[in-house]
Amino acid sequence: MNILGLVFCKKASELADKKIYFGLTRLERYQFFMHKLSCDACRNYEKQAILLDKMMKEKLSKENIIESIAPSADFKLRILQQIEKK
Amino acid sequence: MDYHRAIYKRVEVRTEYEGDSFLDIFFNKNDHWKEESGPHSWNSEEHLLDNVDFNLTLKSCMDKLPSKWNSAIQLKYVDDKDSNLICQELEITPSNYWQVLHRAKLQLRECLDRNWFKK
Protein backbone atom coordinates (compact mmCIF):
# COMPACT_ATOMS: atom_id res chain seq x y z
CA MET A 1 0.00 0.00 0.00
CA ASN A 2 1.38 3.42 -0.84
CA ILE A 3 0.89 6.75 0.94
CA LEU A 4 -2.54 7.29 -0.55
CA GLY A 5 -3.69 3.88 0.64
CA LEU A 6 -3.75 2.56 -2.91
CA VAL A 7 -2.69 -0.92 -3.91
CA PHE A 8 -0.65 -2.38 -6.75
CA CYS A 9 -1.40 -5.29 -9.05
CA LYS A 10 -0.09 -8.02 -6.76
CA LYS A 11 -2.51 -7.01 -4.00
CA ALA A 12 -5.30 -6.09 -6.41
CA SER A 13 -5.27 -9.57 -7.92
CA GLU A 14 -5.53 -11.04 -4.39
CA LEU A 15 -8.52 -8.80 -3.74
CA ALA A 16 -10.17 -9.97 -6.97
CA ASP A 17 -10.15 -13.51 -5.64
CA LYS A 18 -10.96 -12.60 -2.05
CA LYS A 19 -14.02 -10.77 -3.38
CA ILE A 20 -15.25 -13.97 -5.04
CA TYR A 21 -14.85 -16.22 -2.00
CA PHE A 22 -15.31 -14.00 1.04
CA GLY A 23 -16.25 -10.50 -0.05
CA LEU A 24 -14.23 -7.36 0.61
CA THR A 25 -14.14 -4.86 3.45
CA ARG A 26 -15.11 -1.31 2.62
CA LEU A 27 -11.46 -0.25 2.50
CA GLU A 28 -10.58 -3.16 0.21
CA ARG A 29 -13.48 -2.33 -2.10
CA TYR A 30 -12.17 1.23 -2.39
CA GLN A 31 -8.60 0.10 -2.98
CA PHE A 32 -9.62 -2.43 -5.59
CA PHE A 33 -11.93 -0.02 -7.41
CA MET A 34 -9.32 2.75 -7.51
CA HIS A 35 -6.65 0.44 -8.81
CA LYS A 36 -8.83 -0.97 -11.57
CA LEU A 37 -9.57 2.52 -12.88
CA SER A 38 -6.10 2.74 -14.33
CA CYS A 39 -5.11 -0.90 -14.79
CA ASP A 40 -6.29 -2.92 -17.79
CA ALA A 41 -4.42 -6.01 -16.67
CA CYS A 42 -6.22 -6.15 -13.33
CA ARG A 43 -9.60 -5.48 -14.93
CA ASN A 44 -8.90 -8.44 -17.20
CA TYR A 45 -7.70 -10.54 -14.30
CA GLU A 46 -10.96 -9.94 -12.44
CA LYS A 47 -13.03 -10.98 -15.45
CA GLN A 48 -10.92 -14.08 -15.92
CA ALA A 49 -11.01 -15.00 -12.23
CA ILE A 50 -14.81 -14.80 -12.32
CA LEU A 51 -14.92 -16.84 -15.51
CA LEU A 52 -12.67 -19.50 -14.02
CA ASP A 53 -14.90 -19.57 -10.95
CA LYS A 54 -17.97 -20.21 -13.13
CA MET A 55 -16.17 -22.86 -15.15
CA MET A 56 -14.97 -24.77 -12.14
CA LYS A 57 -18.40 -24.63 -10.56
CA GLU A 58 -19.89 -26.05 -13.72
CA LYS A 59 -17.19 -28.60 -14.30
CA LEU A 60 -17.02 -29.91 -10.76
CA SER A 61 -20.62 -29.80 -9.58
CA LYS A 62 -22.03 -33.17 -8.62
CA GLU A 63 -24.32 -33.68 -11.61
CA ASN A 64 -21.49 -33.01 -13.98
CA ILE A 65 -19.25 -35.54 -12.33
CA ILE A 66 -21.82 -38.18 -13.17
CA GLU A 67 -22.10 -36.87 -16.72
CA SER A 68 -18.41 -36.81 -17.25
CA ILE A 69 -18.20 -40.51 -16.43
CA ALA A 70 -20.86 -41.37 -19.01
CA PRO A 71 -19.59 -40.98 -22.58
CA SER A 72 -20.72 -37.76 -24.21
CA ALA A 73 -22.47 -37.74 -27.57
CA ASP A 74 -19.34 -36.33 -29.16
CA PHE A 75 -17.21 -39.14 -27.77
CA LYS A 76 -19.67 -41.78 -28.97
CA LEU A 77 -19.67 -40.24 -32.43
CA ARG A 78 -15.89 -40.37 -32.60
CA ILE A 79 -15.88 -44.02 -31.60
CA LEU A 80 -18.51 -44.83 -34.24
CA GLN A 81 -16.47 -43.05 -36.88
CA GLN A 82 -13.39 -45.01 -35.92
CA ILE A 83 -15.29 -48.30 -36.09
CA GLU A 84 -16.67 -47.43 -39.51
CA LYS A 85 -13.22 -46.68 -40.83
CA LYS A 86 -12.02 -50.22 -40.16
CA MET B 1 -14.56 -34.89 0.63
CA ASP B 2 -12.89 -36.36 3.71
CA TYR B 3 -10.16 -37.39 1.31
CA HIS B 4 -9.64 -33.83 0.13
CA ARG B 5 -9.78 -32.50 3.66
CA ALA B 6 -7.08 -34.96 4.66
CA ILE B 7 -4.94 -34.03 1.66
CA TYR B 8 -5.29 -30.35 2.42
CA LYS B 9 -4.32 -30.77 6.04
CA ARG B 10 -1.49 -33.18 5.64
CA VAL B 11 0.17 -32.71 2.29
CA GLU B 12 3.00 -30.25 2.10
CA VAL B 13 3.37 -28.13 -0.96
CA ARG B 14 6.85 -27.67 -2.39
CA THR B 15 8.41 -24.48 -1.07
CA GLU B 16 8.55 -22.91 -4.49
CA TYR B 17 4.75 -22.80 -4.38
CA GLU B 18 4.32 -21.54 -0.84
CA GLY B 19 6.71 -18.62 -0.57
CA ASP B 20 6.78 -15.16 -2.09
CA SER B 21 8.94 -16.50 -4.89
CA PHE B 22 5.85 -18.08 -6.45
CA LEU B 23 4.25 -14.66 -6.83
CA ASP B 24 7.48 -13.39 -8.39
CA ILE B 25 6.65 -15.54 -11.39
CA PHE B 26 3.76 -13.21 -12.17
CA PHE B 27 4.68 -9.88 -10.61
CA ASN B 28 7.79 -7.72 -10.86
CA LYS B 29 9.53 -6.02 -7.96
CA ASN B 30 7.15 -3.07 -8.15
CA ASP B 31 4.25 -5.44 -7.59
CA HIS B 32 2.94 -4.85 -11.11
CA TRP B 33 2.05 -7.62 -13.56
CA LYS B 34 5.06 -8.64 -15.56
CA GLU B 35 4.78 -7.71 -19.21
CA GLU B 36 4.47 -11.30 -20.48
CA SER B 37 2.03 -12.54 -17.87
CA GLY B 38 -0.19 -9.49 -17.54
CA PRO B 39 -3.73 -10.62 -18.35
CA HIS B 40 -4.80 -9.68 -21.84
CA SER B 41 -8.40 -9.82 -22.85
CA TRP B 42 -9.75 -13.29 -23.59
CA ASN B 43 -12.11 -13.44 -26.51
CA SER B 44 -14.03 -16.26 -24.96
CA GLU B 45 -16.54 -17.96 -27.16
CA GLU B 46 -19.76 -18.80 -25.41
CA HIS B 47 -20.01 -22.15 -23.68
CA LEU B 48 -16.33 -22.99 -23.75
CA LEU B 49 -17.13 -25.97 -21.58
CA ASP B 50 -19.10 -27.49 -24.47
CA ASN B 51 -15.87 -27.71 -26.39
CA VAL B 52 -14.20 -31.10 -25.87
CA ASP B 53 -10.73 -29.78 -26.63
CA PHE B 54 -11.10 -26.95 -24.18
CA ASN B 55 -12.22 -29.39 -21.51
CA LEU B 56 -9.10 -31.45 -22.11
CA THR B 57 -6.92 -28.35 -21.83
CA LEU B 58 -8.68 -27.27 -18.64
CA LYS B 59 -8.36 -30.74 -17.13
CA SER B 60 -4.69 -30.89 -17.98
CA CYS B 61 -4.10 -27.48 -16.38
CA MET B 62 -5.98 -28.55 -13.28
CA ASP B 63 -3.97 -31.76 -13.08
CA LYS B 64 -0.78 -29.73 -12.97
CA LEU B 65 -1.78 -28.06 -9.71
CA PRO B 66 -0.16 -29.21 -6.49
CA SER B 67 -2.48 -31.72 -4.80
CA LYS B 68 -3.07 -29.47 -1.80
CA TRP B 69 -4.36 -26.71 -4.08
CA ASN B 70 -6.43 -29.15 -6.07
CA SER B 71 -8.05 -30.32 -2.84
CA ALA B 72 -8.82 -26.73 -1.85
CA ILE B 73 -10.61 -26.36 -5.19
CA GLN B 74 -12.50 -29.64 -4.88
CA LEU B 75 -13.71 -28.70 -1.39
CA LYS B 76 -15.03 -25.41 -2.68
CA TYR B 77 -16.56 -26.34 -5.98
CA VAL B 78 -17.90 -29.87 -5.74
CA ASP B 79 -20.42 -29.07 -3.02
CA ASP B 80 -20.46 -25.31 -3.52
CA LYS B 81 -20.07 -24.98 0.22
CA ASP B 82 -19.76 -21.65 1.97
CA SER B 83 -16.09 -20.65 2.23
CA ASN B 84 -16.32 -19.84 5.94
CA LEU B 85 -17.73 -23.29 6.62
CA ILE B 86 -14.85 -24.90 4.76
CA CYS B 87 -12.38 -22.91 6.87
CA GLN B 88 -14.03 -24.13 10.06
CA GLU B 89 -13.81 -27.72 8.89
CA LEU B 90 -10.17 -27.39 7.94
CA GLU B 91 -9.40 -25.34 11.04
CA ILE B 92 -7.70 -22.60 9.04
CA THR B 93 -8.26 -18.87 8.68
CA PRO B 94 -10.10 -17.41 5.67
CA SER B 95 -6.87 -15.68 4.78
CA ASN B 96 -5.00 -19.00 4.56
CA TYR B 97 -7.74 -20.44 2.39
CA TRP B 98 -8.18 -17.69 -0.12
CA GLN B 99 -4.42 -17.32 -0.50
CA VAL B 100 -4.32 -20.94 -1.64
CA LEU B 101 -7.29 -20.49 -3.97
CA HIS B 102 -5.74 -17.29 -5.30
CA ARG B 103 -2.43 -18.99 -6.09
CA ALA B 104 -4.23 -21.86 -7.74
CA LYS B 105 -6.19 -19.38 -9.86
CA LEU B 106 -3.02 -17.52 -10.84
CA GLN B 107 -1.47 -20.75 -12.02
CA LEU B 108 -4.61 -22.03 -13.71
CA ARG B 109 -5.22 -18.75 -15.48
CA GLU B 110 -1.68 -18.62 -16.77
CA CYS B 111 -1.84 -22.24 -17.95
CA LEU B 112 -5.08 -21.66 -19.87
CA ASP B 113 -3.74 -18.40 -21.23
CA ARG B 114 -0.65 -20.11 -22.60
CA ASN B 115 -2.29 -23.31 -23.85
CA TRP B 116 -5.59 -22.07 -25.17
CA PHE B 117 -6.19 -18.36 -25.46
CA LYS B 118 -2.84 -17.41 -26.92
CA LYS B 119 -3.12 -19.92 -29.76
Side-chain angles (χ1 to χ4, degrees), chain A residues 20-37:
Chain A
I20 292 172
Y21 301 111
F22 290 96
L24 300 180
T25 63
R26 197 187 271 177
L27 174 63
E28 286 169 341
R29 276 201 303 273
Y30 165 79
Q31 288 172 326
F32 188 41
F33 176 77
M34 292 300 290
H35 179 81
K36 279 190 293 178
L37 284 181

Side-chain angles (χ1 to χ4, degrees), chain B residues 16 20-27 34 36-37 107 110:
Chain B
E16 58 254 42
D20 279 344
S21 56
F22 175 76
L23 296 175
D24 289 342
I25 297 172
F26 305 99
F27 302 101
K34 279 185 173 165
E36 326 83 72
S37 52
Q107 175 121 323
E110 194 273 341

Side-chain angles (χ1 to χ4, degrees), chain A residues 38-53:
Chain A
S38 56
C39 184
D40 279 345
C42 285
R43 277 202 298 275
N44 286 330
Y45 180 79
E46 187 184 22
K47 285 186 197 150
Q48 291 166 11
I50 291 171
L51 181 64
L52 279 175
D53 184 61

Side-chain angles (χ1 to χ4, degrees), chain B residues 92-106:
Chain B
I92 58 174
T93 65
S95 173
N96 284 152
Y97 190 53
W98 100 67
Q99 285 294 337
V100 168
L101 287 173
H102 173 58
R103 284 170 184 235
K105 295 272 273 288
L106 280 172

